Amino acid sequence: MTTMQKNNLPTADDLRDRVRVALQAVGADAALGEPGVSGLAAGSPITGDVLFSVPETSPAAAGAAVDEAAAAFAGWRTTPAPVRGALVARLGELLTEHKADLATLVTVEAGKISSEALGEVQEMIDICQFAVGLSRQLYGKTIASERPGHRLMETWHPLGVVGVITAFNFPVAVWAWNTAVALVCGDTVVWKPSELTPLTAIACQTLIERACADVGVDGSVSRLVQGGRDIGEALIDDPRVALVSATGSVRMGREVGPRVAQRFGKALLELGGNNAAIVTPSADLDLAVRAIVFSAAGTAGQRCTTMRRVIAHSSIADELCRRIAAAYETLPIGDPSVDGTLVGPLIHSRSYRDMVGALQTAAADGGEVIGGHRHDMGAEDAFYVAPALVRMPGQTEVVHNETFAPILYVLTYDDLDTAIELNNAVPQGLSSAIFTTDIREAERFMAADGSDCGIANVNIGTSGAEIGGAFGGEKETGGGRESGSDAWKAYMRRATNTVNYSSELPLAQGVRFG
Ligand code: UN1
């Protein structure tokens, strides 16, 4: 039987106390108002209660935040990059000091289990360290010129204000990926977090303002605006926002992309995923099952990198399903703040309805559904579910949709080409994996005619990427890359400089003119 801590949830008052303690520790409790007071409702999926109300930014105030960030950019862009790095280094120290406080807030607001919440904060610390190193490595190339006495080179310059729009499921890490890198690149930031996670945002903003004060930098280099659609639009449509980096649904990206393009702004989109793992006959099944269960059921299926499909070789599909189903049976579901819980709540009732709807459709399409039922935790507005495993007779439309809940569809294949075709048959292109001990299969999966995703892993699940690599995906995932590698280039503009240090004026391409 699946373990559950029935009716054993904390009370709303317990959660309020935890939030108060964590926000007091970071020095941000002044922003808390009683629930019901006008402003944004800050709630928790753990119980489904509204805990506090927090100040909401008006559209005029959002414009003012952009004014401030734009004004700060004038000085920040000429601050030497390693000096900018010192601010990010200080932020990293403060995040380290307040790792547990932030993780508490992430657990309360996003419903993540403690270990994953701590991991998310670690991801922030990691990107700060990366960005500090990067602050001394914003390299341009020197290129051989075809003309004598000439030098050709590239220089990279800050872009301007970066608008960062983040989602509830990584309420702090995605802000940090963008902000740490943008700041060392010489950009200033205006952040619009998800309306579902305003408390974590207040904590982060307090820490970055403290970091600014500690190193003597104008706090306007990083601003926070809180609110709904109109506040996001204030960033999207403002010509001073040079780059909009948006994480969220494909539907959101379809609006943001063209609107930003309309004014020739830059957009960095990190949208939906529909990530698959191919499991081959040579796979180490113990390892594969552990990786699949973490990627499919972890974070209650609410990562953009969550594994949503398994493409299993027909010779091992039954065995694999049996083992995944057995592992699912033992997953402790319940209060994410309790040690040992592995599956916390869905974020809200809509996610639950979407999950029920997708499972009904899958069953109508001939899918065999195992699990997926709601756990009664004694809280009407909290949605705890058992992860679902669905053996599909083939890929119907429901398999092509991203349902932000723990549903894992299983398809079968007989030859690797078909498996790769299935992997690539969905509109999204974020993450993918192959489980194999055959080097030919592994290499084929990563080759040009292999996985079409931004992330293609071997013997690792689809989720849980390190910050050192560029993160993002193709097709409906939006094409953006954030975090490590050379993703910083999206936060800067490139100038090509040709320098003539001779006293002649040879023209390129051998052109003669007078
Ligand atoms: C997301 O879900 O938006 O690779 C980001 C991962 C995490 C980031 C996920 N490092 O699963």
Side-chain angles (χ1 to χ4, degrees):
M1 270 304 291
T2 308
T3 323
M4 46 176 169
Q5 293 106 18
K6 203 169 178 182
N7 295 339
N8 203 14
L9 296 175
T11 64
D13 280 336
D14 290 339
L15 294 175
R16 280 189 196 103
D17 285 344
R18 289 180 208 174
V19 167
R20 268 195 212 99
V21 169
L23 282 181
Q24 250 156 24
V26 299
D29 51 316
L32 295 178
E34 290 305 313
V37 175
S38 72
L40 271 185
S44 174
I46 297 177
T47 57
D49 289 302
V50 174
L51 305 179
F52 295 103
S53 65
V54 300
E56 189 168 0
T57 311
S58 67
V66 179
D67 291 344
E68 286 167 23
F73 176 66
W76 191 238
R77 66 179 160 181
T78 51
T79 302
V83 177
R84 300 192 297 242
L87 167 62
V88 176
R90 181 66 191 134
L91 175 63
E93 285 169 3
L94 291 174
L95 294 173
T96 307
E97 194 182 313
H98 292 289
K99 184 171 174 181
D101 301 318
L102 286 172
T104 297
L105 296 171
V106 169
T107 294
V108 170
E109 276 199 311
K112 267 189 204 190
I113 63 167
S114 299
S115 168
E116 288 190 59
L118 286 164
E120 174 166 1
V121 183
Q122 186 58 45
E123 205 165 321
M124 308 173 80
I125 297 166
D126 294 344
I127 195 70
C128 285
Q129 291 182 350
F130 178 91
V132 173
L134 182 66
S135 71
R136 291 184 185 269
Q137 301 178 75
L138 301 170
Y139 302 138
K141 286 180 173 143
T142 302
I143 299 154
S145 169
E146 67 186 55
R147 288 172 276 183
H150 283 58
R151 186 158 64 90
L152 197 53
M153 64 179 183
E154 289 178 345
T155 43
W156 291 88
H157 300 295
L159 273 181
V161 178
V162 176
V164 177
I165 297 174
T166 58
F168 82 86
N169 67 329
F170 272 80
V172 292
V174 176
W175 168 72
W177 293 351
N178 283 282
T179 301
V181 172
L183 287 175
V184 301
C185 288
D187 301 321
T188 57
V189 174
V190 181
W191 177 27
K192 189 214 138 345
S194 162
E195 288 163 88
L196 299 169
T197 53
L199 299 172
T200 48
I202 289 170
C204 292
Q205 182 61 22
T206 304
L207 292 178
I208 186 126
E209 285 180 14
R210 174 138 20 110
C212 286
D214 289 353
V215 299
V217 165
D218 173 3
S220 305
V221 295
S222 189
R223 300 276 77 168
L224 169 67
V225 292
Q226 298 247 47
R229 201 191 155 88
D230 52 343
I231 299 304
E233 285 173 344
L235 297 184
I236 292 163
D237 295 331
D238 192 319
R240 294 168 302 167
V241 177
L243 170 69
V244 176
S245 175
T247 302
S249 66
V250 172
R251 204 178 50 181
M252 179 271 282
R254 262 193 228 291
E255 276 195 51
V256 172
R259 273 171 80 156
V260 175
Q262 183 70 28
R263 61 171 177 85
F264 297 103
K266 294 183 201 288
L268 193 170
L269 301 176
E270 208 266 275
L271 311 173
N274 192 344
N275 317 297
I278 296 173
V279 186
T280 71
S282 75
D284 174 339
L285 277 195
D286 286 340
L287 181 147
V289 169
R290 280 167 48 210
I292 290 168
V293 172
F294 169 64
S295 278
T299 334
Q302 300 169 109
R303 291 192 190 210
C304 56
T305 51
T306 290
M307 192 182 294
R308 309 208 178 275
R309 298 177 295 143
V310 160
I311 301 162
H313 192 268
S314 53
S315 64
I316 49 100
D318 289 345
E319 172 68 2
L320 182 68
C321 287
R322 193 185 59 70
R323 291 209 206 178
I324 297 171
Y328 273 11
E329 283 285 296
T330 67
L331 284 179
I333 300 167
D335 177 0
S337 57
V338 166
D339 261 0
T341 299
L342 292 179
V343 182
L346 295 176
I347 190 70
H348 46 34
S349 59
R350 195 163 27 128
S351 298
Y352 175 64
R353 282 201 307 272
D354 288 350
M355 179 168 177
V356 171
L359 291 178
Q360 278 168 355
T361 307
D365 290 348
E368 180 200 335
V369 180
I370 305 164
H373 45 275
R374 183 172 176 188
H375 276 278
D376 177 12
M377 300 289 294
E380 204 183 314
D381 297 320
F383 297 87
Y384 292 80
V385 291
L389 184 68
V390 188
R391 286 200 73 165
M392 295 298 292
Q395 47 167 347
T396 58
E397 199 197 322
V398 73
V399 179
H400 287 205
N401 298 333
E402 179 193 42
T403 304
F404 225 57
I407 302 177
L408 183 63
Y409 299 107
V410 182
L411 304 165
T412 53
Y413 78 93
D414 288 310
D415 64 281
L416 189 62
D417 284 344
T418 308
I420 290 173
E421 262 170 45
L422 287 169
N423 179 75
N424 296 348
V426 295
Q428 310 85 349
L430 179 56
S431 188
S432 59
I434 190 168
F435 289 88
T436 180
T437 53
D438 179 335
I439 193 167
R440 291 181 179 158
E441 290 183 331
E443 291 291 335
R444 172 68 214 292
F445 181 69
M446 292 182 287
D449 58 351
S451 165
D452 63 2
C453 296
I455 298 171
N457 292 334
V458 177
N459 294 330
I460 296 181
T462 53
S463 62
E466 302 175 18
I467 59 92
F471 182 90
E474 304 303 328
K475 303 192 292 187
E476 286 189 0
T477 303
R481 291 296 185 280
E482 294 171 295
S483 190
S485 184
D486 64 352
W488 60 271
K489 290 179 176 170
Y491 299 81
M492 301 196 85
R493 63 183 174 85
R494 177 199 324 240
T496 302
N497 312 117
T498 311
V499 179
N500 177 4
Y501 59 92
S502 76
S503 48
E504 305 299 318
L505 191 66
L507 298 178
Q509 298 91 38
V511 171
R512 293 183 176 280
F513 198 79

